[in-house]
Amino acid sequence: MKRVVVVGGGWAGCGASVGARKRGVEVVLVERTSNLLGVGFHGGMHAYNGRHTIMLEAKALGGTEIFEAVESAFKYRVDLPHQKYGYLYDNFKAEGAVRRMLERMGVHVHFERTVTDALMQGERIRAVKLNNGEIIEGDAFVDATGGAGPERLCKEYGRGCVLCILRCPHYGPRISLTAKTGVKETMARRGDGKFGGMSNSCAVDRESVTPEFLEEMKNKNGCVLVPAPEGIAEDYGYFKKVRTQQYYSQDEYETYLVTVDVGAIKFVSRPYVNYQVLREIPAFRNAHFVDPIVGGRGQAIRFLAQAPRLNTLQVKERPNLFCAGEKAGYLVGIMDAKVTGLLAGNNAARVALGDPVLELPRRTALGEGLAWINEEIQTEAGQYKKYSFVGTGGLYQHLIDQGLFTVDPKVVEERLGEHGLLNAFTA
Ligand SMILES: Cc1cc2nc3c(=O)[nH]c(=O)nc-3n(C[C@H](O)[C@H](O)[C@H](O)COP(=O)(O)OP(=O)(O)OC[C@H]3O[C@@H](n4cnc5c(N)ncnc54)[C@H](O)[C@@H]3O)c2cc1C
């Protein structure tokens, strides 16, 4: 049986594993930590704005299993400021649901193993080497290692290691498969002359907030706008410059702590909040951070390793290597990672089997989004942005302008049907 090796078990790697299995190849997934979902472990805001459209497209292409896993952890259907058509899910339940789904699909997952090297044959990868010396051979590979950290770069471009979910001090640094094949990657630029972007939210343990606040959360469908007290982000200038999603630089997100229930209680668009000021709010008098553990000081720095890629998600000059998620170019978000993962994994399987790869037409939201980002990042201004189907980098507006945004599954099916792409992941 042909084999695809997926490196990195964040949302992109989980999507890639599903995408490859749908094509009938053996899939091995290697993840350096103890769990799946990567930096998205405390995500929970799902399918908002243009992300809804690419979810419908991915479902119509045949990649349903990963969405069913998330939907099993559904918590609240609620609109958020500037974000509509989506819902909140429980992150703790989602991780288990995705793990079990991959198991059912027959994906071999190696936890607590890091890919440390690529063994090459010309431009093609023949095998990867793990930190325990094991060699795993494959016919095609997916790099889903993200672009966060490691500690050294969080220090250089942020406020040092704040013990985020990646836990580099224990598990060691992120290692990029693409870079190990000799391909040069790029780092996202930002306004203060440095690189990367600070993760956009932080979260406290739900047991550490008052029962009255949790009750209010429940009554308001999982989202409470708490007036932001003075000093909650005392160095607001720095904060605004470094955060990943500039899309959130809008009124409500400045005036309020936009607080959502995603298993943990998350402050949206706040990489950090001043711990002492937070504790002055009655609901948070016992607040205890879960991500990052050093809450109140900063967050992880991401977008430090983008692979040059084609619109099929093949890494340039590496015919049997594909990339997905944050690795695939300035792309932020759980949905963005899952859906690019599905495509990258499916195309890796196609290469393994000797089948033609899929390049989605620009009359689809995903096809247009991937092509447009690739064009944008060729420009000087484009390298200062991040992109997301929820809105960041102008991508959602671009889809609206192109007439591609829709939340109607029938419209999506018709569009894909016109190109003969219904269930293309399995066909
Ligand atoms: C705190 C926080 C909250 C967020 N909330 C939301 C949200 O609510 N909604 C939303 O849409 N987006 C959210 N995002 C953004 C979203 O989570 C990310 O954009 C997305 O999850 C990135 O996924 P990824 O798989 O590309 O990368 P990552 O999550 O970075 O995954 C990479 C994985 O690769 C592993 N890895 C790295 N190197 C190796 C190696 N050599 N060998 C083996 N494994 C390796 C890492 O351990 C990691 O698990 C949030 C991000 C953060 C940080």
Side-chain angles (χ1 to χ4, degrees), residues 7-13 30-33 37-40 42-45 51 113-115 144-146 166 174-175 199 201 266 291 299 302 324-326 332-335 337:
V7 185
W11 279 110
V30 185
E31 164 54 40
R32 58 184 262 293
T33 71
L37 310 190
V39 300
H42 286 289
M45 293 151 51
R51 286 174 176 163
R113 291 280 178 266
T114 302
V115 166
T145 54
L166 291 182
R174 161 185 62 80
I175 295 177
S199 289
S201 63
K266 185 163 105 164
D291 186 21
Q299 249 289 23
R302 306 194 342 253
E326 296 195 353
V332 193
I334 286 163
M335 183 67 73

Side-chain angles (χ1 to χ4, degrees), residues 253-274:
Y253 290 98
E254 303 216 358
T255 319
Y256 297 100
L257 289 178
V258 177
T259 310
V260 291
D261 180 357
V262 286
I265 302 297
K266 185 163 105 164
F267 302 118
V268 184
S269 185
R270 298 271 171 179
Y272 53 92
V273 293
N274 184 304

Side-chain angles (χ1 to χ4, degrees), residues 14 17-18 21 27 29 36 65 69 95-111:
C14 295
S17 301
V18 173
R21 278 300 288 151
V27 177
L29 169 63
L36 300 172
E65 290 82 350
E95 199 273 341
V98 172
R99 212 167 354 99
R100 288 185 289 278
M101 178 270 300
L102 293 182
E103 216 173 280
R104 277 196 305 279
M105 290 189 78
V107 175
H108 308 292
V109 186
H110 295 245
F111 282 112

Side-chain angles (χ1 to χ4, degrees), residues 61-176:
L61 284 161
T64 49
E65 290 82 350
I66 195 155
F67 301 104
E68 285 161 7
V70 187
E71 283 155 17
S72 73
F74 173 89
K75 229 170 148 61
Y76 295 107
R77 162 73 201 98
V78 64
D79 286 343
L80 307 172
H82 307 284
Q83 301 193 52
K84 286 188 176 167
Y85 317 110
Y87 64 91
L88 304 177
Y89 65 80
D90 184 316
N91 284 288
F92 299 108
K93 290 187 182 148
E95 199 273 341
V98 172
R99 212 167 354 99
R100 288 185 289 278
M101 178 270 300
L102 293 182
E103 216 173 280
R104 277 196 305 279
M105 290 189 78
V107 175
H108 308 292
V109 186
H110 295 245
F111 282 112
E112 303 187 64
R113 291 280 178 266
T114 302
V115 166
T116 55
D117 211 352
L119 308 183
M120 306 295 291
Q121 198 161 41
E123 290 189 334
R124 301 176 81 87
I125 308 181
R126 182 173 59 76
V128 290
K129 187 174 179 191
L130 309 194
N131 57 341
N132 62 350
E134 197 182 336
I135 305 281
I136 303 181
E137 294 186 347
D139 300 285
F141 297 78
V142 178
D143 183 348
T145 54
E151 281 172 271
R152 180 178 61 79
L153 295 181
C154 285
K155 190 167 177 193
E156 203 167 331
Y157 303 129
R159 290 186 158 166
C161 176
V162 285
L163 300 180
C164 77
I165 193 74
L166 291 182
R167 294 157 286 171
C168 300
H170 183 80
Y171 289 114
R174 161 185 62 80
I175 295 177
S176 164

